[in-house]
């Protein structure tokens, strides 16, 4: 297993982790100051500063992307909505290209309107079909421009609102259906927060292999967890067996970053410097 | 599909649904008054009134059990803890027998101590092994006295604290391992709240069949869900496709009750009469 204890060369920061403290250009600056070599930014954070300015900041600091967050949210109540989602994903792919991301992460969506408490329909099988069709259509464009798509299975507690793909197995089944040749253009983002509990985790990581494992996200699962969205733990503060899982990832051929992605009211309330320094320290010791 | 619209003959009430309003003897009385023919009581509710008194109340009203809650919580930090869990499950089996339950429902447990925020270990594979061994040992006694055990897969958001069995597939794999002959003595409790999101739900219900489908619990999944434990919805208020799932259950051979089990601060704050009447109304229309 690769040695993380020496330096943060294999640490990436998902910029949602300090989104409430700093705008993205400042996050890049703070990461550069700490020798963090990669980030995974969110589209709204990029848009708030301006993509050209972010592109320049990345060039100036030499910081790379470990992924781009995010495409997806394919299901919709009607044809116009489905079309709008495809258009939006095309724009996300273009942005990911401009910033030279290794992949666009897909949070695929689920029952349309559920996020605001008013689902347009309850048929999750329909949502899953719309996701399949949406990824298939986006993949055509992604192939043309050479931007891999990484399906991120989300925790089943987010199945109604955010993603109807909820296990690695389900994501990989879809990859096999849409990209049987394993071209490297379709794979998964393995975020331990969402999948740590899965009895098939090890076997599905093994199944995925280097060709499908496009991103690896870490944080921790707290006991108790007090919120379904914004109560992720810092690595080492919860029950996820981080080193065991990374061993499975590397054994399967994954050689990329371990990206820290923490949505947490607690960590958002801390100074950004403390959060980044803690990420670095925990990355060296427990990830 | 069976017609639920006529009367509540196939409605059962899990007594946790009104646990904060009434003691169990009163719950039985209120159910009898409404022609509800079955309940699934919790051990602490039984103990609070006294099991002999509950047995008499059941006889007097003709109310049957749809299940008995609960056995399980097998994992422990040490040998003494493992032994104590087995002893406790034996007592639960005896109580289930006395009350003539059709099955003892197992919430299998997970990382010992996680419920109180201090897990004794983080190795969920170890917890799963201890669960397997605990069920195997309990099954021996259960066979002797003729009390079927129903493994209840819990939602993955409860995987650290309450149950490391989190999908129907995982539960059925364990059933096949421990009871390859499908004797009827080991099966599953299918609670839609925990498993509605599963992409393999239909196929695993089909796989389970009449021999393994020992209980069927309903409520609903709210969007948003505000609490990981006590924010279940009344049937019809959320996104679970209740009728579609019951069709799958019945197609697989299930002919038992649809048991309403609602853990909800909202419904616990309503008068018990309102809760039961609402359960009856929704059972007739949307379950």
């Amino acid at each position: 297993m690769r040695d993380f204890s020496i330096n943060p060369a294999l640490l990436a920061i998902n910029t949602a982790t300090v989104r409430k403290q700093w705008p993205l250009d400042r996050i890049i600056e703070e990461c550069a100051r700490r020798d963090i070599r990669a980030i995974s930014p969110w589209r709204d954070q990029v848009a708030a500063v301006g993509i050209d300015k972010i592109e320049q900041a990345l060039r100036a600091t030499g910081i790379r992307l470990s992924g781009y967050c995010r495409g997806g949210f394919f299901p919709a109540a009607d044809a116009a909505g489905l079309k709008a989602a495809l258009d939006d994903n095309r724009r996300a792919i273009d942005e990911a290209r401009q910033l030279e991301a290794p992949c666009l992460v897909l949070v695929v969506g689920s029952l349309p309107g559920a996020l605001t408490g008013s689902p347009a329909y309850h048929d999750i099988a329909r949502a899953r079909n719309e996701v399949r069709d949406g990824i298939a259509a986006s993949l055509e464009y992604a192939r043309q421009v050479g931007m891999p798509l990484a399906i991120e299975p989300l925790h089943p507690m987010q199945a109604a609102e955010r993603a109807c793909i909820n296990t690695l197995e389900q994501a990989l089944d879809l990859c096999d259906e849409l990209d049987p040749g394993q071209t490297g253009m379709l794979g998964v983002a393995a975020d331990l927060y969402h999948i740590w509990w899965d009895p098939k985790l090890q076997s599905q990581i093994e199944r995925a292999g280097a060709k499908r494992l496009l991103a690896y996200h870490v944080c921790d699962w707290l006991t108790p967890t007090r919120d379904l969205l914004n109560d992720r733990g810092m690595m080492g503060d919860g029950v996820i067996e981080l080193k065991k899982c990374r061993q499975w990832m590397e054994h399967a051929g994954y050689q990329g970053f371990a990206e820290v992605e923490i949505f947490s009211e607690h960590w958002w309330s801390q100074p950004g410097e403390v959060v980044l320094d803690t990420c670095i320290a925990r990355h060296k010791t427990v990830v």
Side-chain angles (χ1 to χ4, degrees), chain A:
Chain A
M1 210 156 86
R2 296 172 298 171
D3 186 357
F4 278 14
S5 70
I6 306 163
N7 62 47
L10 291 165
L11 163 65
I13 295 288
N14 185 297
T15 60
T17 306
V18 283
R19 70 175 309 142
K20 298 204 180 172
Q21 287 92 337
W22 295 320
L24 188 53
D25 46 354
R26 173 77 186 277
I27 295 174
I28 292 172
E29 210 180 289
E30 296 285 347
C31 283
R33 184 168 300 152
R34 288 169 177 77
D35 265 344
I36 293 170
R37 307 312 307 148
I39 61 168
S40 187
W42 285 66
R43 291 182 73 193
D44 62 327
Q45 292 177 293
V46 170
V49 176
I51 191 164
D52 294 335
K53 209 171 151 192
I54 294 300
E55 188 189 357
Q56 284 164 11
L58 292 169
R59 277 187 210 281
T61 55
I63 286 181
R64 297 153 59 193
L65 261 55
S66 52
Y68 190 55
C69 294
R70 59 172 173 60
F73 275 82
F74 295 105
D78 55 30
L82 292 170
K83 169 78 166 53
L86 292 185
D87 293 345
D88 191 52
N89 274 277
R90 193 175 169 117
R91 283 190 294 275
I93 290 170
D94 289 338
E95 293 168 27
R97 270 195 84 202
Q98 181 175 347
L99 301 179
E100 298 182 5
C103 63
L104 175 69
V105 173
L106 301 180
V107 173
V108 298
S110 191
L111 309 178
L115 252 185
T116 49
S118 305
Y121 60 74
H122 291 180
D123 183 353
I124 196 165
R126 174 176 162 186
R128 286 172 172 151
N129 287 337
E130 292 176 356
V131 164
R132 181 198 59 216
D133 295 346
I135 295 178
S138 299
L139 186 58
E140 276 188 50
Y141 182 62
R143 281 191 205 279
Q144 285 171 35
V145 301
M147 177 52 59
L149 302 179
I151 303 170
E152 180 165 340
L154 291 205
H155 197 285
M157 70 186 174
Q158 298 174 1
E161 293 103 334
R162 286 182 174 78
C164 56
I165 295 188
N166 306 102
T167 63
L168 213 43
E169 181 177 42
Q170 187 189 5
L172 291 168
D173 286 349
L174 193 53
C175 288
D176 287 348
E177 181 183 344
L178 300 181
D179 178 48
Q182 299 211 25
T183 61
M185 294 306 295
L186 186 61
V188 297
D191 183 326
L192 290 185
Y193 185 73
H194 296 299
I195 59 180
W196 74 275
W197 59 271
D198 188 346
K200 297 174 118 176
L201 182 58
Q202 183 180 8
S203 65
Q204 294 300 312
I205 286 175
E206 193 62 38
R207 169 189 171 190
K211 282 281 183 67
R212 297 278 195 227
L213 295 170
L214 302 184
Y216 178 52
H217 300 180
V218 296
C219 64
D220 217 331
W221 181 273
L222 300 176
T223 55
T225 289
R226 299 182 193 280
D227 185 89
L228 278 78
L229 194 60
N230 297 325
D231 194 23
R232 298 193 191 198
M234 179 63 67
M235 300 80 71
D237 290 348
V239 300
I240 302 179
E241 297 173 286
L242 294 161
K243 284 193 186 291
K244 189 186 278 184
C245 294
R246 184 159 69 85
Q247 204 159 29
W248 295 341
M249 289 289 293
E250 297 193 13
H251 186 261
Y254 181 74
Q255 289 295 317
F257 294 96
E259 174 184 323
V260 176
E261 184 179 23
I262 302 177
F263 287 76
S264 159
E265 294 296 350
H266 169 74
W267 289 104
W268 284 327
S269 75
Q270 305 298 309
E273 293 85 351
V274 170
V275 178
L276 290 187
D277 290 343
T278 309
C279 288
I280 291 172
R282 300 295 177 89
H283 188 264
K284 285 185 182 180
T285 51
V286 298
V287 173

